Every structure is written in C-alpha cells, then in structure tokens.
Amino acid sequence: MKTIRGFVAALFLVLAAPMAAGPALAQQAPSAAPTGEPAETAPLAAPVTNVDTQNTGGAAISAHGISVVDMFWRADPLVKGVFGLLLLSSIWSWVIIINKGLALSTLNNRANRFEKTFWSGQSLDELYAQFAQRNNHPLAAVFVSGVREWRRAFEHGTPSLAILSGTKDRVEKAMSVTISREIDSVEKSIGFLATVASTAPFVGLFGTVWGIMNSFTAIAARHDTTLAVVAPGIAEALFATAMGLLCAIPAAIFYNRFVAEIGRYGNRLDAFSDELSGILSRQLDEKAR
C-alpha cells in the first residue's frame, strides 16, 4: 500500500514540473527578434541602355516603324523581284499615260483646225495641194486618201457612167482602210495598260502569299509568335498587295478613258469620211454628165 502511494506521489511531481515552468517561459522575449528601425524599400533605377528588338532577318527595327526602303532590302529575293517588276510596270504605264494623253489632245486640236479649214469654202484641189504634203493627223490622211483615189478616176479623161460605181467604191474603200490604219496607230501602246490593269493585282498577290509563307517559316524556325517575328513578313506581304493595286488602278482608269476617247475620235473620222464620200460622189456625177 505504501508502495502504491509513493508511486502516485512521484508521478504527480513529474507532471507538475512542466506546468510550473510554462508561464515563466512565456514571459521571456524571443532572443532573435529584431530590435532596430524598420527597413525602407528604395525604388528600382530605370534602365540606361536601349532595348533593341530584332526581326526575322536580325536587323533592328526602329521605334518609328519600318520604312519602304528598309522593307525592300530586308525582303526575300523573290519578293524583291515582284517589287521591281511592279515598279517598272508602274513607271512605264505613266509614261504611256502622259504620252497618249498629250497625243490625243494634239490630234483633237489639229482635227478642229482641219475641219475649220475644210469648211472654209476652198475647192477640193486647193485643199488637196495644201494637205497632201503634211497630212500629219488622221483626219487629213483620210481626206488625202479619198481625194487621191477620186483624182485617179480623171487621169484618162472624164469617166463614163459604167465605171462611176466602181470609182465610188474605191474611194470609200481607200478612206476606210486609212481610218483603220490611223486608229491602229492611235491605239498603239494602250494594250500595255490593259495588261497591267488585269495582271498587276495578281502579281502583287503572289508577293503577298510568298511573304506570308516566309512569316510562317520564321515562326517555325524560332518557335516564337511575337510581333517582332511575324510583323516584318506580314508587312512585306501587304506592301506587295499595295504595290499591285497602286500599279493596276491608274492603268485601268486611263485605259478606259483612252478607249472612250479613241472611240469618239473614230466616230469623228467615220462621219467625216461619209461627208467627204458624199461630196466626191456629187463631183463624179457632175463631171460624168
């Protein structure tokens, strides 16, 4: 019995010892706690060097964008060929446009002066002598060809009634052939404008497709889809399309304009040919009587 009481007393002492030491330990301050003033955070310094972004070709792109010249020199050789072809086509188209515009204006002015002289009351022989050596425009050429054929009918004297109809047909045929030849001469070179107007957009589209292919190739090679990788190729592609349209639109506009003006001028030649044919036919009838 005494043994049991001693064992319980010893166990009670063991359990009571940590409970008495706990409040004392809780009242002690941690030895590692900071005792100085709190730390202050300083702002980060701005970078002092410029950060360059690179395109697919490795050249730096300025912050203000890509110029047309830089775009051309960084383009693929095939895209450069497309640019050069469209540029040459555009330059040659404008040369044709300016020359043809001046030529049609000159032809209309000369035709106005010729008609004013023709209806001034001079005889056919006087007019023929005046314009035979300087038929420098289609209206004068038609007049000279018709009167020349008419004069040939009187080389062997006054023609008989039997050959009057043949003479009239030859006069009309000579003027018709002259009109066709002169219209062909006036229409020279405008076919190039039609070709440029119809093919330049497709040439530009070919450059566009090739530029987009280069962009996807750059993405696959660098495993990156950022604008620095994609933008240069897309810009080259869209610039090729713009070049094609810039080349085709003026060519189409002026081609349609020139075709309309030449058509009106051809109608003017046909009307003058009919009038001259009527005058020459009356002259033949009067001299054959």
Side-chain angles (χ1 to χ4, degrees), residues 70-130:
D70 293 338
M71 195 182 306
F72 174 80
W73 288 116
R74 282 197 299 267
D76 185 85
L78 185 61
V79 180
K80 287 181 181 179
V82 171
F83 287 165
L85 179 62
L86 291 175
L87 181 61
L88 292 177
S89 299
S90 180
I91 293 174
W92 187 245
S93 296
W94 279 107
V95 171
I96 294 175
I97 288 169
I98 295 173
N99 289 337
K100 193 60 63 177
L102 294 176
L104 289 175
S105 178
T106 302
L107 289 178
N108 286 319
N109 292 333
R110 290 178 178 177
N112 293 333
R113 290 195 297 267
F114 174 80
E115 288 185 340
K116 184 177 180 180
T117 304
F118 180 81
W119 298 110
S120 62
Q122 300 183 32
S123 65
L124 293 179
D125 293 333
E126 293 175 349
L127 292 173
Y128 180 79
Q130 181 178 353

Side-chain angles (χ1 to χ4, degrees), residues 136-194:
N136 53 359
H137 59 92
L139 209 59
V142 171
F143 168 78
V144 170
S145 63
V147 175
R148 181 186 295 118
E149 192 64 33
W150 174 74
R151 288 165 63 93
R152 287 174 180 172
F154 299 96
E155 291 179 353
H156 304 288
T158 303
S160 60
L161 295 174
I163 63 174
L164 282 180
S165 60
T167 302
K168 295 177 183 178
D169 291 340
R170 288 194 298 271
V171 169
E172 293 177 356
K173 187 66 174 179
M175 290 190 294
S176 177
V177 171
T178 303
I179 290 174
S180 298
R181 183 172 59 249
E182 294 296 331
I183 291 297
D184 289 341
S185 178
V186 173
E187 289 179 344
K188 186 179 180 180
S189 300
I190 68 169
F192 181 80
L193 297 180

Side-chain angles (χ1 to χ4, degrees), residues 200-220:
F202 296 102
V203 175
L205 182 61
F206 174 74
T208 300
V209 173
W210 195 264
I212 293 176
M213 289 172 58
N214 288 338
S215 297
F216 285 117
T217 302
I219 292 174

Side-chain angles (χ1 to χ4, degrees), residues 15-34:
L15 295 175
M19 295 177 63
L25 292 174
Q27 294 177 357
Q28 294 179 359
S31 60

Side-chain angles (χ1 to χ4, degrees), residues 10 22 34 45 54 62 69 77 96 121 175 186 203 216 246 254 258 262 280:
Q54 295 182 351
S62 65
V69 178
I96 294 175
M175 290 190 294
V186 173
V203 175
F216 285 117
L246 185 65
F254 283 97
F258 291 153
I262 293 173
L280 295 177

